[in-house]
Amino acid sequence: MKVHNVEMVISAVKPEQYPEDGLPEFALAGRSNVGKSSFINKMIGRKALARISSKPGKTQTLNFYRIEEQLFFVDVPGYGYAKVSKTEREAWGKMIERYITARSVLRAVVLIIDLRHPPTNDDIMMYDFLKYYNIPAIIIATKADKIKKGKWDQHKKVVRDALEMDKNDPLIVFSSETGLGFEEAWQEIEKRM
Ligand code: GDP
């Protein structure tokens, strides 16, 4: 998809605040600093997205971006940031659980991980959580430009094994630097719209 139009619609905490357009939604999740904003910016062809709560530890909200009047990207605050308090972590968990379990327009969660390293315990927990609720996942293994092409398959296998990935969930090697995986990522999103 070639994106021309993106609107930041709402920064929501409660379900009453979610948009009611009925458009398909794709939530974006990943550990802090994994490259989630870079992924979003690459996908929508922007340098910098208007961000409400980019700093870890700040008010945690779900940010809804309407794209081409056709779908929403829902930016989920990053997880796994060490300095977040137990209370904040629990609030995050409640917010994401409430969204994921009750949102009928949610088509898939795009889970961003780092291709260079094995998935973290937080990544594994996030994926397990999605599978527990039968939510389709699209795994984006980003920062691929940082490792040799000849190593990609080996690293993909480590990811598939560590997450015990469902065969129906795609694993896409991505780079926000080079644009690698852009077409494939949009294809996987568009076929679930
Ligand atoms: P977020 O916290 O998950 O939103 O992460 P950011 O998108 O802010 O990225 C964190 C850091 O990783 C930044 O310094 C980015 O420039 C860098 N980064 C993100 N994606 C890539 C990538 O695909 N390749 C490389 N080489 N660096 C990346």
Side-chain angles (χ1 to χ4, degrees), residues 16-95:
E16 303 87 83
Q17 300 171 316
Y18 301 161
E20 288 174 6
D21 317 39
L23 294 174
E25 288 175 3
F26 294 85
L28 298 115
R31 120 186 112 64
S32 300
N33 218 34
V34 73
K36 179 161 58 69
S37 339
S38 304
F39 171 80
I40 297 172
N41 289 331
K42 192 77 204 171
M43 294 297 281
I44 64 174
R46 297 293 153 99
K47 284 222 162 60
L49 204 66
R51 302 210 77 195
I52 305 290
S53 58
S54 57
K55 288 224 179 69
K58 283 271 161 65
T59 320
Q60 307 257 291
T61 57
L62 297 171
N63 296 338
F64 289 74
Y65 297 92
R66 188 165 48 217
I67 296 167
E68 298 293 301
E69 313 275 337
Q70 284 187 48
L71 73 154
F72 276 99
F73 271 180
V74 182
D75 192 10
V76 173
Y79 54 78
Y81 185 66
K83 285 181 192 152
V84 168
S85 70
K86 187 162 173 259
T87 317
E88 282 168 320
R89 214 178 300 259
E90 283 170 2
W92 181 93
K94 278 209 185 98
M95 184 180 69

Side-chain angles (χ1 to χ4, degrees), residues 29 79 92 96-97 100-101 109 111 113 119-139 159-166 169:
Y79 54 78
W92 181 93
I96 177 87
E97 187 160 24
I100 276 175
T101 55
V109 171
L111 180 60
I113 58 145
T120 65
N121 287 337
D122 287 321
D123 292 334
I124 295 169
M125 266 164 52
M126 187 71 206
Y127 186 76
D128 284 350
F129 171 74
L130 298 175
K131 294 299 99 179
Y132 178 80
Y133 288 111
N134 282 317
I135 311 288
I138 300 170
I139 310 295
V159 172
R160 282 208 168 274
D161 290 351
L163 297 181
E164 297 179 31
M165 273 181 70
D166 182 327
D169 292 339

